[in-house]
mmCIF file of all heavy atoms in Angstrom:
data_model
loop_
_atom_site.group_PDB
_atom_site.id
_atom_site.type_symbol
_atom_site.label_atom_id
_atom_site.label_comp_id
_atom_site.label_asym_id
_atom_site.label_seq_id
_atom_site.Cartn_x
_atom_site.Cartn_y
_atom_site.Cartn_z
ATOM 1 N N ALA K 1435 150.224 131.144 132.687
ATOM 2 C CA ALA K 1435 150.311 129.726 132.450
ATOM 3 C C ALA K 1435 150.226 129.458 130.954
ATOM 4 O O ALA K 1435 151.219 129.005 130.405
ATOM 5 C CB ALA K 1435 149.122 129.053 133.124
ATOM 6 N N ARG K 1437 147.607 129.894 127.091
ATOM 7 C CA ARG K 1437 146.488 130.515 126.370
ATOM 8 C C ARG K 1437 145.388 129.468 126.034
ATOM 9 O O ARG K 1437 145.621 128.332 125.716
ATOM 10 C CB ARG K 1437 146.885 131.191 124.940
ATOM 11 C CG ARG K 1437 147.836 132.284 125.265
ATOM 12 C CD ARG K 1437 148.227 133.049 123.935
ATOM 13 N NE ARG K 1437 147.146 133.848 123.385
ATOM 14 C CZ ARG K 1437 146.726 134.964 123.960
ATOM 15 N NH1 ARG K 1437 147.414 135.416 124.948
ATOM 16 N NH2 ARG K 1437 145.781 135.695 123.475
ATOM 17 N N CYS K 1443 145.779 132.699 130.094
ATOM 18 C CA CYS K 1443 145.401 132.191 131.456
ATOM 19 C C CYS K 1443 146.475 132.366 132.515
ATOM 20 O O CYS K 1443 147.616 132.374 132.244
ATOM 21 C CB CYS K 1443 145.252 130.696 131.204
ATOM 22 S SG CYS K 1443 144.077 130.277 130.022
ATOM 23 N N ALA K 1452 141.180 125.245 144.978
ATOM 24 C CA ALA K 1452 140.419 124.259 145.972
ATOM 25 C C ALA K 1452 139.015 124.202 145.578
ATOM 26 O O ALA K 1452 138.430 123.102 145.640
ATOM 27 C CB ALA K 1452 140.729 124.822 147.400
ATOM 28 N N ALA K 1453 138.378 125.449 145.281
ATOM 29 C CA ALA K 1453 137.017 125.441 144.895
ATOM 30 C C ALA K 1453 136.714 124.642 143.599
ATOM 31 O O ALA K 1453 135.679 123.932 143.500
ATOM 32 C CB ALA K 1453 136.422 126.858 144.726
ATOM 33 N N ASP K 1455 138.571 122.051 142.339
ATOM 34 C CA ASP K 1455 138.694 120.776 142.796
ATOM 35 C C ASP K 1455 137.488 120.238 143.482
ATOM 36 O O ASP K 1455 137.050 119.026 143.227
ATOM 37 C CB ASP K 1455 139.992 120.490 143.660
ATOM 38 C CG ASP K 1455 141.193 120.780 142.956
ATOM 39 O OD1 ASP K 1455 141.318 120.809 141.678
ATOM 40 O OD2 ASP K 1455 142.245 121.002 143.664
ATOM 41 N N TYR K 1456 136.844 120.980 144.243
ATOM 42 C CA TYR K 1456 135.693 120.512 144.946
ATOM 43 C C TYR K 1456 134.507 120.330 143.990
ATOM 44 O O TYR K 1456 133.820 119.258 144.064
ATOM 45 C CB TYR K 1456 135.233 121.605 145.973
ATOM 46 C CG TYR K 1456 134.018 121.267 146.739
ATOM 47 C CD1 TYR K 1456 134.066 120.273 147.840
ATOM 48 C CD2 TYR K 1456 132.784 121.894 146.481
ATOM 49 C CE1 TYR K 1456 132.923 120.065 148.492
ATOM 50 C CE2 TYR K 1456 131.591 121.557 147.114
ATOM 51 C CZ TYR K 1456 131.631 120.578 148.204
ATOM 52 O OH TYR K 1456 130.513 120.276 148.860
ATOM 53 N N ALA K 1457 134.393 121.245 143.062
ATOM 54 C CA ALA K 1457 133.343 121.027 141.983
ATOM 55 C C ALA K 1457 133.671 119.950 141.153
ATOM 56 O O ALA K 1457 132.685 119.209 140.766
ATOM 57 C CB ALA K 1457 133.360 122.550 141.118
ATOM 58 N N VAL K 1458 134.912 119.725 140.736
ATOM 59 C CA VAL K 1458 135.220 118.430 139.970
ATOM 60 C C VAL K 1458 134.791 117.229 140.748
ATOM 61 O O VAL K 1458 134.222 116.203 140.084
ATOM 62 C CB VAL K 1458 136.738 118.429 139.521
ATOM 63 C CG1 VAL K 1458 137.209 117.168 139.026
ATOM 64 C CG2 VAL K 1458 136.975 119.625 138.563
ATOM 65 N N TYR K 1464 128.263 112.519 139.534
ATOM 66 C CA TYR K 1464 127.012 112.480 138.672
ATOM 67 C C TYR K 1464 127.382 112.007 137.256
ATOM 68 O O TYR K 1464 126.430 111.564 136.615
ATOM 69 C CB TYR K 1464 126.555 113.916 138.571
ATOM 70 C CG TYR K 1464 125.936 114.347 139.879
ATOM 71 C CD1 TYR K 1464 126.671 115.278 140.740
ATOM 72 C CD2 TYR K 1464 124.707 113.961 140.222
ATOM 73 C CE1 TYR K 1464 126.118 115.715 141.833
ATOM 74 C CE2 TYR K 1464 124.185 114.361 141.455
ATOM 75 C CZ TYR K 1464 124.737 115.247 142.269
ATOM 76 O OH TYR K 1464 124.241 115.744 143.375
ATOM 77 N N LEU K 1465 128.651 112.106 136.913
ATOM 78 C CA LEU K 1465 128.986 111.659 135.461
ATOM 79 C C LEU K 1465 129.456 110.212 135.412
ATOM 80 O O LEU K 1465 130.255 109.782 136.312
ATOM 81 C CB LEU K 1465 130.098 112.542 134.822
ATOM 82 C CG LEU K 1465 129.847 114.047 134.791
ATOM 83 C CD1 LEU K 1465 131.017 114.800 134.446
ATOM 84 C CD2 LEU K 1465 128.638 114.337 133.952
ATOM 85 N N ASN K 1466 128.895 109.396 134.469
ATOM 86 C CA ASN K 1466 129.300 108.148 134.280
ATOM 87 C C ASN K 1466 129.791 107.859 132.807
ATOM 88 O O ASN K 1466 129.085 108.160 131.925
ATOM 89 C CB ASN K 1466 127.988 107.200 134.460
ATOM 90 C CG ASN K 1466 128.396 105.702 134.353
ATOM 91 O OD1 ASN K 1466 129.591 105.296 134.478
ATOM 92 N ND2 ASN K 1466 127.411 104.872 134.348
ATOM 93 N N TRP K 1477 141.776 130.607 134.151
ATOM 94 C CA TRP K 1477 141.741 131.757 135.184
ATOM 95 C C TRP K 1477 142.208 132.936 134.500
ATOM 96 O O TRP K 1477 143.351 133.050 134.031
ATOM 97 C CB TRP K 1477 142.412 131.356 136.415
ATOM 98 C CG TRP K 1477 142.188 132.485 137.442
ATOM 99 C CD1 TRP K 1477 143.225 133.529 137.776
ATOM 100 C CD2 TRP K 1477 141.143 132.725 138.326
ATOM 101 N NE1 TRP K 1477 142.704 134.257 138.746
ATOM 102 C CE2 TRP K 1477 141.459 133.889 139.117
ATOM 103 C CE3 TRP K 1477 139.905 132.115 138.510
ATOM 104 C CZ2 TRP K 1477 140.679 134.349 140.131
ATOM 105 C CZ3 TRP K 1477 139.157 132.444 139.514
ATOM 106 C CH2 TRP K 1477 139.453 133.725 140.245
ATOM 107 N N SER K 1479 141.576 137.483 133.614
ATOM 108 C CA SER K 1479 140.914 138.813 133.830
ATOM 109 C C SER K 1479 139.964 139.013 132.585
ATOM 110 O O SER K 1479 140.594 139.190 131.473
ATOM 111 C CB SER K 1479 141.900 139.845 134.026
ATOM 112 O OG SER K 1479 141.207 141.122 134.195
ATOM 113 N N SER K 1483 133.457 141.898 135.283
ATOM 114 C CA SER K 1483 134.134 141.576 136.518
ATOM 115 C C SER K 1483 133.384 140.458 137.283
ATOM 116 O O SER K 1483 133.989 140.026 138.320
ATOM 117 C CB SER K 1483 134.072 142.868 137.319
ATOM 118 O OG SER K 1483 132.758 143.348 137.611
ATOM 119 N N GLY K 1491 135.360 122.240 126.506
ATOM 120 C CA GLY K 1491 136.067 121.321 125.515
ATOM 121 C C GLY K 1491 136.914 122.016 124.469
ATOM 122 O O GLY K 1491 136.477 122.944 123.993
ATOM 123 N N ALA K 1496 134.557 113.523 115.024
ATOM 124 C CA ALA K 1496 133.452 112.824 114.193
ATOM 125 C C ALA K 1496 133.963 111.541 113.708
ATOM 126 O O ALA K 1496 135.228 111.255 113.589
ATOM 127 C CB ALA K 1496 133.084 113.726 112.917
ATOM 128 N N ASN K 1497 133.138 110.612 113.501
ATOM 129 C CA ASN K 1497 133.337 109.288 112.831
ATOM 130 C C ASN K 1497 134.302 108.460 113.697
ATOM 131 O O ASN K 1497 135.185 107.837 113.075
ATOM 132 C CB ASN K 1497 133.814 109.471 111.415
ATOM 133 C CG ASN K 1497 132.754 110.184 110.572
ATOM 134 O OD1 ASN K 1497 131.610 109.962 110.725
ATOM 135 N ND2 ASN K 1497 133.286 111.164 109.728
ATOM 136 N N PRO K 1499 135.054 105.450 116.684
ATOM 137 C CA PRO K 1499 134.261 104.100 117.154
ATOM 138 C C PRO K 1499 133.106 104.508 117.946
ATOM 139 O O PRO K 1499 133.259 105.186 119.002
ATOM 140 C CB PRO K 1499 135.391 103.372 117.809
ATOM 141 C CG PRO K 1499 136.653 103.846 117.336
ATOM 142 C CD PRO K 1499 136.411 105.371 117.137
ATOM 143 N N ALA K 1501 130.518 106.161 117.323
ATOM 144 C CA ALA K 1501 129.686 107.451 117.178
ATOM 145 C C ALA K 1501 128.380 107.113 116.755
ATOM 146 O O ALA K 1501 128.106 106.432 115.865
ATOM 147 C CB ALA K 1501 130.475 108.219 116.138
ATOM 148 N N SER K 1504 126.870 109.372 111.964
ATOM 149 C CA SER K 1504 128.124 109.651 111.046
ATOM 150 C C SER K 1504 128.116 111.096 110.698
ATOM 151 O O SER K 1504 127.166 111.811 110.707
ATOM 152 C CB SER K 1504 128.005 108.885 109.804
ATOM 153 O OG SER K 1504 127.924 107.473 110.042
ATOM 154 N N THR K 1506 128.964 113.694 112.189
ATOM 155 C CA THR K 1506 128.523 114.616 113.291
ATOM 156 C C THR K 1506 129.596 114.735 114.244
ATOM 157 O O THR K 1506 130.216 113.880 114.786
ATOM 158 C CB THR K 1506 127.227 114.014 114.021
ATOM 159 O OG1 THR K 1506 126.204 113.770 112.971
ATOM 160 C CG2 THR K 1506 126.716 114.966 115.077
ATOM 161 N N TYR K 1508 131.272 115.833 117.779
ATOM 162 C CA TYR K 1508 131.038 115.714 119.180
ATOM 163 C C TYR K 1508 132.190 116.339 119.998
ATOM 164 O O TYR K 1508 133.364 116.178 119.589
ATOM 165 C CB TYR K 1508 130.961 114.213 119.688
ATOM 166 C CG TYR K 1508 129.759 113.582 118.963
ATOM 167 C CD1 TYR K 1508 129.850 112.895 117.744
ATOM 168 C CD2 TYR K 1508 128.517 113.482 119.690
ATOM 169 C CE1 TYR K 1508 128.770 112.330 117.151
ATOM 170 C CE2 TYR K 1508 127.414 112.815 119.006
ATOM 171 C CZ TYR K 1508 127.512 112.307 117.800
ATOM 172 O OH TYR K 1508 126.493 111.567 117.188
ATOM 173 N N ALA K 1511 134.887 115.367 125.315
ATOM 174 C CA ALA K 1511 134.477 114.532 126.488
ATOM 175 C C ALA K 1511 133.307 113.650 126.074
ATOM 176 O O ALA K 1511 133.314 112.482 126.490
ATOM 177 C CB ALA K 1511 133.987 115.470 127.554
ATOM 178 N N GLY K 1518 134.363 105.132 124.688
ATOM 179 C CA GLY K 1518 134.945 104.206 125.741
ATOM 180 C C GLY K 1518 136.396 104.351 125.900
ATOM 181 O O GLY K 1518 137.066 103.489 126.425
ATOM 182 N N GLN K 1519 136.997 105.315 125.223
ATOM 183 C CA GLN K 1519 138.450 105.610 125.228
ATOM 184 C C GLN K 1519 138.843 106.966 125.074
ATOM 185 O O GLN K 1519 137.919 107.788 124.776
ATOM 186 C CB GLN K 1519 139.138 104.686 124.051
ATOM 187 C CG GLN K 1519 138.712 105.193 122.670
ATOM 188 C CD GLN K 1519 139.197 104.327 121.566
ATOM 189 O OE1 GLN K 1519 140.105 103.682 121.718
ATOM 190 N NE2 GLN K 1519 138.709 104.496 120.348
ATOM 191 N N ASP K 1520 140.112 107.235 125.202
ATOM 192 C CA ASP K 1520 140.530 108.661 125.191
ATOM 193 C C ASP K 1520 140.719 108.894 123.660
ATOM 194 O O ASP K 1520 141.738 108.438 123.152
ATOM 195 C CB ASP K 1520 141.807 108.975 125.966
ATOM 196 C CG ASP K 1520 142.225 110.360 125.896
ATOM 197 O OD1 ASP K 1520 141.480 111.092 125.291
ATOM 198 O OD2 ASP K 1520 143.119 110.632 126.671
#
Side-chain angles (χ1 to χ4, degrees):
R1437 296 187 70 77
C1443 301
D1455 292 341
Y1456 180 80
V1458 168
Y1464 290 102
L1465 301 175
N1466 183 11
W1477 181 260
S1479 177
S1483 63
N1497 303 319
S1504 297
T1506 300
Y1508 296 87
Q1519 62 183 344
D1520 188 352

